[in-house]
mmCIF file of all heavy atoms in Angstrom:
data_model
loop_
_atom_site.group_PDB
_atom_site.id
_atom_site.type_symbol
_atom_site.label_atom_id
_atom_site.label_comp_id
_atom_site.label_asym_id
_atom_site.label_seq_id
_atom_site.Cartn_x
_atom_site.Cartn_y
_atom_site.Cartn_z
ATOM 1 N N ILE B 1 -1.992 15.754 -2.615
ATOM 2 C CA ILE B 1 -2.765 14.568 -2.978
ATOM 3 C C ILE B 1 -4.190 14.685 -2.436
ATOM 4 O O ILE B 1 -4.389 15.056 -1.280
ATOM 5 C CB ILE B 1 -2.081 13.296 -2.424
ATOM 6 C CG1 ILE B 1 -0.678 13.145 -3.026
ATOM 7 C CG2 ILE B 1 -2.914 12.053 -2.709
ATOM 8 C CD1 ILE B 1 0.147 12.041 -2.386
ATOM 9 N N GLU B 2 -5.167 14.376 -3.277
ATOM 10 C CA GLU B 2 -6.560 14.387 -2.831
ATOM 11 C C GLU B 2 -6.827 13.200 -1.899
ATOM 12 O O GLU B 2 -6.237 12.130 -2.063
ATOM 13 C CB GLU B 2 -7.508 14.307 -4.035
ATOM 14 C CG GLU B 2 -7.485 15.549 -4.920
ATOM 15 C CD GLU B 2 -7.984 16.782 -4.191
ATOM 16 O OE1 GLU B 2 -8.888 16.627 -3.336
ATOM 17 O OE2 GLU B 2 -7.475 17.885 -4.455
ATOM 18 N N VAL B 3 -7.712 13.405 -0.926
ATOM 19 C CA VAL B 3 -7.949 12.391 0.111
ATOM 20 C C VAL B 3 -8.422 11.070 -0.491
ATOM 21 O O VAL B 3 -7.847 10.013 -0.213
ATOM 22 C CB VAL B 3 -8.972 12.899 1.154
ATOM 23 C CG1 VAL B 3 -9.312 11.778 2.141
ATOM 24 C CG2 VAL B 3 -8.411 14.109 1.898
ATOM 25 N N ILE B 4 -9.461 11.124 -1.316
ATOM 26 C CA ILE B 4 -10.008 9.878 -1.877
ATOM 27 C C ILE B 4 -8.987 9.203 -2.785
ATOM 28 O O ILE B 4 -8.758 7.984 -2.696
ATOM 29 C CB ILE B 4 -11.317 10.155 -2.648
ATOM 30 C CG1 ILE B 4 -12.400 10.635 -1.682
ATOM 31 C CG2 ILE B 4 -11.777 8.911 -3.395
ATOM 32 C CD1 ILE B 4 -13.695 11.047 -2.342
ATOM 33 N N THR B 5 -8.327 9.995 -3.619
ATOM 34 C CA THR B 5 -7.308 9.441 -4.523
ATOM 35 C C THR B 5 -6.181 8.786 -3.733
ATOM 36 O O THR B 5 -5.745 7.672 -4.051
ATOM 37 C CB THR B 5 -6.721 10.554 -5.417
ATOM 38 O OG1 THR B 5 -7.770 11.171 -6.154
ATOM 39 C CG2 THR B 5 -5.678 9.990 -6.376
ATOM 40 N N GLY B 6 -5.716 9.485 -2.706
ATOM 41 C CA GLY B 6 -4.594 8.978 -1.914
ATOM 42 C C GLY B 6 -4.922 7.712 -1.145
ATOM 43 O O GLY B 6 -4.138 6.754 -1.151
ATOM 44 N N THR B 7 -6.061 7.690 -0.473
ATOM 45 C CA THR B 7 -6.410 6.509 0.326
ATOM 46 C C THR B 7 -6.723 5.305 -0.565
ATOM 47 O O THR B 7 -6.380 4.169 -0.219
ATOM 48 C CB THR B 7 -7.610 6.810 1.256
ATOM 49 O OG1 THR B 7 -8.689 7.363 0.490
ATOM 50 C CG2 THR B 7 -7.211 7.788 2.345
ATOM 51 N N GLU B 8 -7.338 5.560 -1.717
ATOM 52 C CA GLU B 8 -7.605 4.459 -2.642
ATOM 53 C C GLU B 8 -6.311 3.893 -3.201
ATOM 54 O O GLU B 8 -6.152 2.677 -3.337
ATOM 55 C CB GLU B 8 -8.503 4.937 -3.789
ATOM 56 C CG GLU B 8 -9.955 5.129 -3.374
ATOM 57 C CD GLU B 8 -10.832 5.576 -4.539
ATOM 58 O OE1 GLU B 8 -10.257 5.908 -5.615
ATOM 59 O OE2 GLU B 8 -12.067 5.603 -4.372
ATOM 60 N N ARG B 9 -5.369 4.784 -3.516
ATOM 61 C CA ARG B 9 -4.075 4.331 -4.047
ATOM 62 C C ARG B 9 -3.321 3.518 -2.997
ATOM 63 O O ARG B 9 -2.720 2.478 -3.311
ATOM 64 C CB ARG B 9 -3.242 5.534 -4.484
ATOM 65 C CG ARG B 9 -1.885 5.176 -5.103
ATOM 66 C CD ARG B 9 -2.045 4.281 -6.304
ATOM 67 N NE ARG B 9 -0.764 3.972 -6.915
ATOM 68 C CZ ARG B 9 -0.524 2.887 -7.635
ATOM 69 N NH1 ARG B 9 -1.493 1.999 -7.837
ATOM 70 N NH2 ARG B 9 0.652 2.672 -8.164
ATOM 71 N N MET B 10 -3.351 3.967 -1.745
ATOM 72 C CA MET B 10 -2.703 3.210 -0.664
ATOM 73 C C MET B 10 -3.255 1.792 -0.578
ATOM 74 O O MET B 10 -2.498 0.825 -0.465
ATOM 75 C CB MET B 10 -2.922 3.917 0.682
ATOM 76 C CG MET B 10 -1.917 4.972 1.026
ATOM 77 S SD MET B 10 -2.246 5.623 2.681
ATOM 78 C CE MET B 10 -3.234 7.053 2.298
ATOM 79 N N GLU B 11 -4.568 1.684 -0.617
ATOM 80 C CA GLU B 11 -5.202 0.380 -0.480
ATOM 81 C C GLU B 11 -4.900 -0.508 -1.687
ATOM 82 O O GLU B 11 -4.653 -1.717 -1.533
ATOM 83 C CB GLU B 11 -6.711 0.539 -0.301
ATOM 84 C CG GLU B 11 -7.452 -0.766 -0.011
ATOM 85 C CD GLU B 11 -6.995 -1.476 1.251
ATOM 86 O OE1 GLU B 11 -6.383 -0.817 2.125
ATOM 87 O OE2 GLU B 11 -7.254 -2.696 1.368
ATOM 88 N N GLN B 12 -4.912 0.078 -2.882
ATOM 89 C CA GLN B 12 -4.561 -0.696 -4.077
ATOM 90 C C GLN B 12 -3.141 -1.236 -3.981
ATOM 91 O O GLN B 12 -2.879 -2.403 -4.304
ATOM 92 C CB GLN B 12 -4.702 0.182 -5.328
ATOM 93 C CG GLN B 12 -6.136 0.532 -5.701
ATOM 94 C CD GLN B 12 -6.207 1.665 -6.707
ATOM 95 O OE1 GLN B 12 -5.191 2.199 -7.146
ATOM 96 N NE2 GLN B 12 -7.430 2.043 -7.079
ATOM 97 N N LEU B 13 -2.227 -0.384 -3.536
ATOM 98 C CA LEU B 13 -0.830 -0.803 -3.380
ATOM 99 C C LEU B 13 -0.707 -1.890 -2.322
ATOM 100 O O LEU B 13 0.022 -2.871 -2.504
ATOM 101 C CB LEU B 13 0.042 0.408 -3.007
ATOM 102 C CG LEU B 13 0.347 1.379 -4.146
ATOM 103 C CD1 LEU B 13 0.883 2.693 -3.584
ATOM 104 C CD2 LEU B 13 1.353 0.774 -5.116
ATOM 105 N N TYR B 14 -1.426 -1.712 -1.221
ATOM 106 C CA TYR B 14 -1.373 -2.712 -0.148
ATOM 107 C C TYR B 14 -1.817 -4.079 -0.665
ATOM 108 O O TYR B 14 -1.162 -5.098 -0.397
ATOM 109 C CB TYR B 14 -2.258 -2.286 1.026
ATOM 110 C CG TYR B 14 -2.227 -3.294 2.155
ATOM 111 C CD1 TYR B 14 -1.236 -3.231 3.130
ATOM 112 C CD2 TYR B 14 -3.167 -4.326 2.232
ATOM 113 C CE1 TYR B 14 -1.185 -4.167 4.156
ATOM 114 C CE2 TYR B 14 -3.120 -5.264 3.237
ATOM 115 C CZ TYR B 14 -2.128 -5.175 4.197
ATOM 116 O OH TYR B 14 -2.076 -6.124 5.203
ATOM 117 N N GLN B 15 -2.914 -4.103 -1.391
ATOM 118 C CA GLN B 15 -3.441 -5.373 -1.892
ATOM 119 C C GLN B 15 -2.471 -6.030 -2.872
ATOM 120 O O GLN B 15 -2.352 -7.253 -2.905
ATOM 121 C CB GLN B 15 -4.808 -5.154 -2.557
ATOM 122 C CG GLN B 15 -5.908 -4.702 -1.602
ATOM 123 C CD GLN B 15 -6.121 -5.683 -0.455
ATOM 124 O OE1 GLN B 15 -5.978 -6.896 -0.598
ATOM 125 N NE2 GLN B 15 -6.481 -5.146 0.719
ATOM 126 N N ARG B 16 -1.766 -5.212 -3.659
ATOM 127 C CA ARG B 16 -0.790 -5.764 -4.599
ATOM 128 C C ARG B 16 0.464 -6.251 -3.886
ATOM 129 O O ARG B 16 1.074 -7.241 -4.297
ATOM 130 C CB ARG B 16 -0.397 -4.703 -5.632
ATOM 131 C CG ARG B 16 -1.462 -4.456 -6.690
ATOM 132 C CD ARG B 16 -0.875 -3.769 -7.897
ATOM 133 N NE ARG B 16 0.174 -4.582 -8.522
ATOM 134 C CZ ARG B 16 0.946 -4.165 -9.526
ATOM 135 N NH1 ARG B 16 0.779 -2.961 -10.016
ATOM 136 N NH2 ARG B 16 1.873 -4.945 -10.034
ATOM 137 N N LEU B 17 0.857 -5.556 -2.833
ATOM 138 C CA LEU B 17 2.133 -5.842 -2.175
ATOM 139 C C LEU B 17 2.052 -6.948 -1.133
ATOM 140 O O LEU B 17 3.063 -7.585 -0.833
ATOM 141 C CB LEU B 17 2.663 -4.564 -1.506
ATOM 142 C CG LEU B 17 3.087 -3.445 -2.453
ATOM 143 C CD1 LEU B 17 3.237 -2.133 -1.693
ATOM 144 C CD2 LEU B 17 4.391 -3.797 -3.169
ATOM 145 N N LYS B 18 0.878 -7.186 -0.580
ATOM 146 C CA LYS B 18 0.793 -8.129 0.538
ATOM 147 C C LYS B 18 1.162 -9.550 0.131
ATOM 148 O O LYS B 18 1.672 -10.328 0.952
ATOM 149 C CB LYS B 18 -0.585 -8.084 1.190
ATOM 150 C CG LYS B 18 -1.722 -8.622 0.348
ATOM 151 C CD LYS B 18 -3.022 -8.569 1.148
ATOM 152 C CE LYS B 18 -4.188 -9.152 0.359
ATOM 153 N NZ LYS B 18 -5.441 -9.136 1.153
ATOM 154 N N LYS B 19 0.948 -9.891 -1.141
ATOM 155 C CA LYS B 19 1.325 -11.231 -1.601
ATOM 156 C C LYS B 19 2.838 -11.360 -1.747
ATOM 157 O O LYS B 19 3.407 -12.435 -1.572
ATOM 158 C CB LYS B 19 0.643 -11.533 -2.939
ATOM 159 C CG LYS B 19 -0.874 -11.560 -2.863
ATOM 160 C CD LYS B 19 -1.485 -11.739 -4.244
ATOM 161 C CE LYS B 19 -3.008 -11.672 -4.168
ATOM 162 N NZ LYS B 19 -3.636 -11.767 -5.509
ATOM 163 N N GLU B 20 3.473 -10.248 -2.081
ATOM 164 C CA GLU B 20 4.917 -10.259 -2.294
ATOM 165 C C GLU B 20 5.710 -10.219 -0.991
ATOM 166 O O GLU B 20 6.809 -10.768 -0.903
ATOM 167 C CB GLU B 20 5.323 -9.049 -3.154
ATOM 168 C CG GLU B 20 4.742 -9.036 -4.548
ATOM 169 C CD GLU B 20 5.439 -10.028 -5.471
ATOM 170 O OE1 GLU B 20 6.533 -10.493 -5.118
ATOM 171 O OE2 GLU B 20 4.871 -10.325 -6.533
ATOM 172 N N PHE B 21 5.147 -9.540 0.021
ATOM 173 C CA PHE B 21 5.921 -9.286 1.241
ATOM 174 C C PHE B 21 5.193 -9.747 2.501
ATOM 175 O O PHE B 21 5.347 -9.139 3.566
ATOM 176 C CB PHE B 21 6.230 -7.784 1.352
ATOM 177 C CG PHE B 21 7.032 -7.237 0.205
ATOM 178 C CD1 PHE B 21 6.411 -6.509 -0.804
ATOM 179 C CD2 PHE B 21 8.395 -7.448 0.132
ATOM 180 C CE1 PHE B 21 7.151 -5.996 -1.867
ATOM 181 C CE2 PHE B 21 9.150 -6.936 -0.915
ATOM 182 C CZ PHE B 21 8.528 -6.207 -1.915
ATOM 183 N N LYS B 22 4.418 -10.797 2.406
ATOM 184 C CA LYS B 22 3.575 -11.205 3.534
ATOM 185 C C LYS B 22 4.365 -11.505 4.799
ATOM 186 O O LYS B 22 3.859 -11.339 5.909
ATOM 187 C CB LYS B 22 2.710 -12.403 3.150
ATOM 188 C CG LYS B 22 3.456 -13.618 2.653
ATOM 189 C CD LYS B 22 2.471 -14.688 2.186
ATOM 190 C CE LYS B 22 3.194 -15.895 1.602
ATOM 191 N NZ LYS B 22 2.239 -16.904 1.095
ATOM 192 N N ARG B 23 5.612 -11.952 4.670
ATOM 193 C CA ARG B 23 6.409 -12.267 5.858
ATOM 194 C C ARG B 23 6.802 -11.017 6.645
ATOM 195 O O ARG B 23 7.158 -11.117 7.815
ATOM 196 C CB ARG B 23 7.662 -13.037 5.461
ATOM 197 C CG ARG B 23 7.376 -14.456 4.976
ATOM 198 C CD ARG B 23 8.649 -15.227 4.780
ATOM 199 N NE ARG B 23 8.394 -16.590 4.358
ATOM 200 C CZ ARG B 23 9.333 -17.490 4.124
ATOM 201 N NH1 ARG B 23 10.616 -17.158 4.282
ATOM 202 N NH2 ARG B 23 9.020 -18.714 3.746
ATOM 203 N N ALA B 24 6.765 -9.865 6.009
ATOM 204 C CA ALA B 24 7.147 -8.625 6.693
ATOM 205 C C ALA B 24 6.070 -8.147 7.661
ATOM 206 O O ALA B 24 6.350 -7.385 8.586
ATOM 207 C CB ALA B 24 7.442 -7.527 5.678
ATOM 208 N N GLY B 25 4.827 -8.603 7.474
ATOM 209 C CA GLY B 25 3.739 -8.205 8.365
ATOM 210 C C GLY B 25 2.913 -7.060 7.797
ATOM 211 O O GLY B 25 3.407 -6.230 7.023
ATOM 212 N N GLY B 26 1.646 -7.036 8.192
ATOM 213 C CA GLY B 26 0.698 -6.063 7.659
ATOM 214 C C GLY B 26 1.078 -4.619 7.886
ATOM 215 O O GLY B 26 0.910 -3.771 6.999
ATOM 216 N N ASN B 27 1.606 -4.288 9.083
ATOM 217 C CA ASN B 27 1.951 -2.895 9.373
ATOM 218 C C ASN B 27 3.071 -2.386 8.473
ATOM 219 O O ASN B 27 3.032 -1.245 7.985
ATOM 220 C CB ASN B 27 2.361 -2.737 10.840
ATOM 221 C CG ASN B 27 1.163 -2.692 11.765
ATOM 222 O OD1 ASN B 27 0.036 -2.468 11.323
ATOM 223 N ND2 ASN B 27 1.383 -2.913 13.049
ATOM 224 N N SER B 28 4.083 -3.227 8.237
ATOM 225 C CA SER B 28 5.191 -2.814 7.375
ATOM 226 C C SER B 28 4.733 -2.666 5.927
ATOM 227 O O SER B 28 5.170 -1.754 5.222
ATOM 228 C CB SER B 28 6.333 -3.835 7.449
ATOM 229 O OG SER B 28 6.980 -3.758 8.694
ATOM 230 N N ILE B 29 3.855 -3.559 5.495
ATOM 231 C CA ILE B 29 3.338 -3.470 4.128
ATOM 232 C C ILE B 29 2.488 -2.212 3.979
ATOM 233 O O ILE B 29 2.541 -1.518 2.956
ATOM 234 C CB ILE B 29 2.523 -4.725 3.767
ATOM 235 C CG1 ILE B 29 3.416 -5.972 3.830
ATOM 236 C CG2 ILE B 29 1.914 -4.599 2.370
ATOM 237 C CD1 ILE B 29 2.657 -7.283 3.751
ATOM 238 N N GLN B 30 1.726 -1.892 5.018
ATOM 239 C CA GLN B 30 0.929 -0.661 4.978
ATOM 240 C C GLN B 30 1.836 0.557 4.870
ATOM 241 O O GLN B 30 1.577 1.470 4.079
ATOM 242 C CB GLN B 30 0.044 -0.545 6.225
ATOM 243 C CG GLN B 30 -0.656 0.808 6.337
ATOM 244 C CD GLN B 30 -2.078 0.718 6.834
ATOM 245 O OE1 GLN B 30 -2.840 -0.135 6.410
ATOM 246 N NE2 GLN B 30 -2.439 1.606 7.737
ATOM 247 N N THR B 31 2.913 0.585 5.659
ATOM 248 C CA THR B 31 3.847 1.716 5.591
ATOM 249 C C THR B 31 4.482 1.800 4.217
ATOM 250 O O THR B 31 4.653 2.887 3.666
ATOM 251 C CB THR B 31 4.935 1.587 6.668
ATOM 252 O OG1 THR B 31 4.327 1.482 7.954
ATOM 253 C CG2 THR B 31 5.852 2.808 6.662
ATOM 254 N N LEU B 32 4.850 0.648 3.652
ATOM 255 C CA LEU B 32 5.416 0.628 2.299
ATOM 256 C C LEU B 32 4.432 1.218 1.296
ATOM 257 O O LEU B 32 4.815 2.018 0.432
ATOM 258 C CB LEU B 32 5.779 -0.808 1.911
ATOM 259 C CG LEU B 32 6.260 -1.025 0.467
ATOM 260 C CD1 LEU B 32 7.524 -0.212 0.195
ATOM 261 C CD2 LEU B 32 6.508 -2.505 0.209
ATOM 262 N N SER B 33 3.160 0.850 1.410
ATOM 263 C CA SER B 33 2.158 1.381 0.481
ATOM 264 C C SER B 33 2.016 2.893 0.659
ATOM 265 O O SER B 33 1.798 3.632 -0.316
ATOM 266 C CB SER B 33 0.812 0.684 0.687
ATOM 267 O OG SER B 33 0.217 1.030 1.921
ATOM 268 N N GLN B 34 2.163 3.391 1.885
ATOM 269 C CA GLN B 34 2.097 4.825 2.146
ATOM 270 C C GLN B 34 3.288 5.545 1.519
ATOM 271 O O GLN B 34 3.146 6.621 0.929
ATOM 272 C CB GLN B 34 2.043 5.069 3.661
ATOM 273 C CG GLN B 34 0.737 4.615 4.301
ATOM 274 C CD GLN B 34 0.828 4.516 5.816
ATOM 275 O OE1 GLN B 34 1.915 4.504 6.393
ATOM 276 N NE2 GLN B 34 -0.324 4.416 6.476
ATOM 277 N N VAL B 35 4.474 4.953 1.657
ATOM 278 C CA VAL B 35 5.687 5.530 1.068
ATOM 279 C C VAL B 35 5.528 5.671 -0.442
ATOM 280 O O VAL B 35 5.807 6.730 -1.026
ATOM 281 C CB VAL B 35 6.917 4.655 1.393
ATOM 282 C CG1 VAL B 35 8.125 5.075 0.547
ATOM 283 C CG2 VAL B 35 7.271 4.735 2.868
ATOM 284 N N LEU B 36 5.064 4.610 -1.090
ATOM 285 C CA LEU B 36 4.927 4.614 -2.547
ATOM 286 C C LEU B 36 3.829 5.567 -3.007
ATOM 287 O O LEU B 36 3.988 6.267 -4.019
ATOM 288 C CB LEU B 36 4.635 3.197 -3.044
ATOM 289 C CG LEU B 36 5.739 2.161 -2.790
ATOM 290 C CD1 LEU B 36 5.285 0.780 -3.247
ATOM 291 C CD2 LEU B 36 7.029 2.554 -3.489
ATOM 292 N N ALA B 37 2.727 5.614 -2.272
ATOM 293 C CA ALA B 37 1.640 6.530 -2.634
ATOM 294 C C ALA B 37 2.083 7.984 -2.493
ATOM 295 O O ALA B 37 1.759 8.832 -3.328
ATOM 296 C CB ALA B 37 0.411 6.263 -1.773
ATOM 297 N N LEU B 38 2.839 8.281 -1.449
ATOM 298 C CA LEU B 38 3.363 9.640 -1.265
ATOM 299 C C LEU B 38 4.319 10.015 -2.390
ATOM 300 O O LEU B 38 4.372 11.163 -2.816
ATOM 301 C CB LEU B 38 4.106 9.747 0.073
ATOM 302 C CG LEU B 38 3.299 10.167 1.294
ATOM 303 C CD1 LEU B 38 4.143 10.029 2.546
ATOM 304 C CD2 LEU B 38 2.797 11.603 1.153
ATOM 305 N N GLY B 39 5.092 9.031 -2.841
ATOM 306 C CA GLY B 39 6.047 9.282 -3.914
ATOM 307 C C GLY B 39 5.406 9.353 -5.285
ATOM 308 O O GLY B 39 6.099 9.576 -6.289
ATOM 309 N N GLY B 40 4.083 9.167 -5.364
ATOM 310 C CA GLY B 40 3.374 9.250 -6.630
ATOM 311 C C GLY B 40 3.736 8.141 -7.590
ATOM 312 O O GLY B 40 3.759 8.319 -8.810
#
């Protein structure tokens, strides 16, 4: 994965997911976005 592509995708996923999973906390949502970005 390219650096810019990967980090942008993580942030896009985070912004989409934080409304759905806000009770889980920012760190868990960030990890979730990393998992999904890694999985393409």
Side-chain angles (χ1 to χ4, degrees):
I1 299 171
E2 292 296 326
V3 174
I4 294 175
T5 302
T7 52
E8 285 181 350
R9 182 58 178 155
M10 273 184 265
E11 186 60 20
Q12 290 165 0
L13 285 165
Y14 180 86
Q15 295 302 326
R16 285 198 61 187
L17 293 165
K18 69 178 182 178
K19 297 175 184 177
E20 297 285 344
F21 300 102
K22 56 185 177 183
R23 290 188 178 181
N27 281 343
S28 289
I29 298 169
Q30 172 140 316
T31 304
L32 174 60
S33 69
Q34 291 165 344
V35 168
L36 297 176
L38 270 172

